[in-house]
């Protein structure tokens, strides 16, 4: 029984300040939409794939040990791709106004498990530039890696292409708005309970019973002006009758 009463109180607090919860939710969603659509700069992504392994003669065949060695070395190749030796040449060829370290922050090199294929993923606010960086990085790596390691068989499997329908990967306005709505609801509910906790005023007889733990003897109802005027008129109309009776 006690739990049901507490549950009713919780829903009562939410219902009493439902306008506040709705207001905070609308404000949060509006701010998120404005920031996502008008403040944040769209970021585009370009992707290219390369395959790195040892050169083979016509008489040679792959064996499992050599394949495993190449797979283990793929992380080394990934680090080389993001090294100043490669990215420095990329910035020089594309005449980029950034250092190799800054360019490295825009590039991710990944590969699937047990795969020799490396994915060069570039993110930039300019879609055309992202494609150029991805393709140039792959080309420079193919040219420079034989000088760095004993690898002379680099194949570019797929070049990055500029698609007319390419859409930015971030920001994601709908996702941001959904997160803002959830955050606004949580903030509104939390603020509602906080205000209710800080409110020590007594509004009805139930508050007297719960807060002061005193029995309620009687209740005086509130009257509006029309009821007061009607009561006043009635008392004046009764006065002569009482007076007359008194005189008798």
């Amino acid at each position: 029984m006690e739990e049901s009463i507490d549950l009713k109180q919780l829903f009562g607090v939410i219902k009493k300040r439902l306008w506040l919860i709705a207001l905070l939710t609308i404000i949060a969603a509006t701010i998120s939409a404005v920031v996502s659509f008008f403040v944040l700069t769209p970021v585009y992504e370009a992707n290219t794939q390369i395959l790195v392994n040892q050169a083979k003669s016509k008489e040679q065949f792959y064996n499992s040990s050599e394949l495993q060695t190449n797979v283990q070395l793929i992380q080394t190749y990934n680090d080389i791709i993001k090294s100043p030796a490669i990215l420095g040449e990329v910035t020089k060829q594309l005449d980029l106004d950034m250092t190799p370290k800054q360019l490295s922050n825009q590039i991710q090199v990944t590969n699937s498990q047990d795969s020799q294929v490396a994915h060069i993923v570039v993110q930039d606010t300019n879609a055309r530039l992202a494609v150029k960086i991805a393709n140039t990085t792959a080309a420079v790596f193919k040219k420079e890696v034989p000088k760095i390691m004993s690898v002379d068989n680099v194949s570019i499997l797929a070049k990055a292409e500029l698609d007319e329908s390419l859409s930015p990967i971030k920001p994601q306005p709908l996702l941001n708005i959904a997160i803002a709505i959830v955050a606004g609801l949580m903030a509104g509910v939390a603020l509602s309970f906080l205000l209710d906790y800080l409110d020590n005023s007594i509004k009805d007889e139930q508050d007297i019973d719960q807060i002061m733990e005193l029995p309620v003897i009687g209740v005086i109802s509130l009257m509006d002006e029309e009821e007061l005027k009607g009561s006043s008129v009635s008392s004046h109309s009764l006065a002569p009758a009482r007076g007359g009776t008194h005189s008798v």
Side-chain angles (χ1 to χ4, degrees):
M1 186 65 181
E2 185 67 25
E3 293 182 358
S4 63
I5 295 176
D6 293 340
L7 190 60
K8 287 182 179 179
Q9 290 177 348
L10 295 179
F11 280 111
V13 172
I14 295 176
K15 183 178 179 180
K16 182 169 61 176
R17 291 190 169 86
L18 192 60
W19 64 271
L20 177 62
I21 298 174
L23 179 62
L24 289 180
T25 302
I26 294 173
I27 292 175
T30 303
I31 294 176
S32 177
V34 171
V35 171
S36 298
F37 284 106
F38 301 106
V39 177
L40 297 179
T41 304
V43 176
Y44 298 87
E45 185 177 272
N47 190 334
T48 185
Q49 297 177 347
I50 60 175
L51 173 65
V52 184
N53 53 27
Q54 298 289 340
K56 299 292 179 182
S57 64
K58 294 181 179 180
E59 293 78 13
Q60 288 179 313
F61 298 93
Y62 285 109
N63 58 56
S64 59
S65 61
E66 289 180 347
L67 181 60
Q68 186 63 32
T69 300
N70 287 330
V71 170
Q72 292 174 352
L73 286 173
I74 193 65
Q75 184 58 50
T76 302
Y77 302 146
N78 295 352
D79 294 336
I80 293 175
I81 292 174
K82 297 187 66 175
S83 67
I86 303 299
L87 298 186
E89 183 64 24
V90 173
T91 57
K92 186 183 299 183
Q93 290 188 16
L94 297 179
D95 194 21
L96 300 177
D97 187 19
M98 63 178 69
T99 64
K101 184 176 181 180
Q102 291 173 328
L103 180 59
S104 176
N105 295 330
Q106 296 181 220
I107 298 177
Q108 285 185 334
V109 184
T110 61
N111 68 290
S112 302
Q113 186 176 4
D114 297 333
S115 173
Q116 293 177 250
V117 178
H119 300 262
I120 302 176
V121 182
V122 180
Q123 295 183 358
D124 195 88
T125 55
N126 187 314
R128 187 179 301 274
L129 182 58
V131 171
K132 287 183 178 180
I133 293 175
N135 290 331
T136 304
T137 301
V140 171
F141 175 74
K142 180 178 180 179
K143 178 183 177 182
E144 298 294 332
V145 73
K147 304 175 184 178
I148 301 173
M149 297 183 66
S150 57
V151 175
D152 52 6
N153 189 12
V154 177
S155 304
I156 299 178
L157 302 180
K159 288 186 177 181
E161 296 182 357
L162 182 62
D163 191 353
E164 295 295 335
S165 61
L166 184 65
S167 58
I169 60 169
K170 57 184 179 181
Q172 297 179 331
L174 295 181
L175 178 60
N176 293 343
I177 292 173
I179 295 175
I181 289 175
V182 174
L185 286 172
M186 294 176 62
V189 172
L191 184 59
S192 297
F193 283 110
L194 178 62
L195 293 176
D196 186 76
Y197 176 76
L198 297 176
D199 187 5
N200 294 325
S201 59
I202 298 176
K203 299 179 179 62
D204 51 33
E205 61 274 13
Q206 293 180 353
D207 292 339
I208 297 176
D209 185 29
Q210 293 177 359
I211 298 174
M212 302 184 67
E213 298 181 356
L214 295 175
V216 179
I217 300 176
V219 178
I220 301 176
S221 301
L222 295 175
M223 301 178 64
D224 54 23
E225 292 186 7
E226 293 182 358
E227 291 177 338
L228 290 174
K229 289 180 180 178
S231 175
S232 176
V233 171
S234 299
S235 63
H236 284 300
S237 61
L238 292 175
R242 290 198 300 267
T245 305
H246 179 70
S247 59
V248 173

